[in-house]
Amino acid sequence: MQVTYTHIKQVKRAAKALKDSYPTLKLGQRQDLAAVQVLGVRNYHEAVRRYDSWLMLHVDVSQDRYGTSKCTLCDFSFAADLKEDREAHQVVHERFHEAVEALGYCPAIHLQRERLKDEGSKKAFSTEGLETQINGALMVFRGWFDRSLCNAIYDEYWRKHPTFDLYVSMILDSLGDMYKELKPLLKMRYGYRPGEIKPGQTNWYPGR
C-alpha cells in the first residue's frame, strides 16, 4: 500500500496514544507497534520507506546531473540529489497533500493552468454563441483560481480561500473591458463582491 503524509500522522498519533497502555516502551517501539496496528506493515521503518517512495511518486526526476526535478502534483522544482532540496519538497508536498485531501479538490499546476487559460480565451472570444463564451471565460477564471489557491496552500491560508463560485463574484473588477459583454450575465449568475480582489489582480489574499 502507499503510505501518505496522512498515514504517517495517523501512526504518530496512535504511537502517542499507546503511551498509557505501554508506559515502558520507548517512542521508537511504540511507533513500530502503531505502524503494525494502523497500516499493517512490519514496523515504522517500513512505513517511512513507503512514505519516502510516495513523496517521489509524482516527481519527474531529471536525468541531467545538474538538472532540476519537478513534482507534477505540488509543482515544486528541486534538485533530487540534494538532501536539503528533498526536505524542502517534502514540506511543500505535505502541505499540498493535506489541503487537497481536506478540500477534495486538486488545483492544476502551472502548465495545466496555462493550457486551460489559452483554450478558455479562444472560446471566450469566439463567435460560437454566448454560452460558449461564458464557458470559455470560466475556464480562464479557473486557471486564475487554481493559481490563487496554490499560492494559498503554499502560504498556508488555504482554509480561508473562497470557493470557485465565490471567487468569480470577486474577480469581475479585474476583467477590465476584455469581457465587458459577459460581465452582466456573470454578475447575475455568480453575484458581485467588489473590493475582495484588487482590480487588475487575480490572486485572493486574506484580510482585504
Side-chain angles (χ1 to χ4, degrees), residues 29-182:
Q29 293 172 313
R30 284 188 277 114
Q31 287 177 332
D32 284 340
L33 182 57
V36 173
Q37 293 179 348
V38 176
L39 303 179
V41 296
R42 289 176 297 177
N43 49 42
Y44 186 66
H45 176 76
E46 173 70 11
V48 171
R49 186 186 66 78
R50 295 191 184 192
Y51 168 67
D52 288 340
S53 296
W54 170 77
L55 281 172
M56 296 296 290
L57 186 64
H58 298 282
V59 177
D60 287 334
V61 179
S62 174
Q63 300 304 309
D64 184 347
R65 179 181 177 185
Y66 302 104
T68 300
S69 298
K70 180 85 168 180
C71 182
T72 58
L73 182 69
C74 68
D75 214 17
F76 190 77
S77 298
F78 63 105
D81 61 329
L82 295 180
K83 183 175 183 291
E84 57 268 33
D85 273 28
R86 292 196 302 273
E87 290 174 347
H89 169 243
Q90 177 180 336
V91 170
V92 173
H93 200 89
E94 289 176 349
R95 193 174 295 168
F96 202 89
H97 171 78
E98 182 178 33
V100 167
E101 192 170 71
L103 294 170
Y105 176 77
C106 183
I109 62 175
H110 175 73
L111 184 60
Q112 295 168 334
R113 296 195 302 263
E114 291 305 305
R115 290 173 178 168
L116 189 65
K117 290 187 291 182
D118 182 61
E119 184 179 348
S121 292
K122 292 175 181 176
K123 289 186 176 183
F125 298 110
S126 72
T127 57
E128 298 178 22
L130 184 60
E131 283 305 317
T132 296
Q133 293 173 342
I134 287 289
N135 288 336
L138 291 174
M139 289 172 68
V140 175
F141 302 163
R142 177 66 68 174
W144 292 346
F145 171 84
D146 283 2
R147 178 177 61 191
S148 180
L149 181 56
C150 281
N151 289 336
I153 291 172
Y154 296 147
D155 291 334
E156 299 186 277
Y157 57 87
W158 58 269
R159 291 176 180 83
K160 299 178 181 179
H161 197 279
T163 62
F164 178 71
D165 286 2
L166 196 56
Y167 175 86
V168 173
S169 72
M170 297 174 176
I171 199 64
L172 297 178
D173 283 344
S174 289
L175 304 184
D177 293 331
M178 293 172 58
Y179 303 94
K180 62 181 179 181
E181 295 181 0
L182 304 180

Side-chain angles (χ1 to χ4, degrees), residues 184-198:
L185 185 55
L186 288 167
K187 286 183 179 181
M188 183 173 66
R189 291 186 182 182
Y190 292 91
Y192 177 50
R193 295 174 61 92
E196 298 286 348
I197 296 176
K198 186 176 180 180

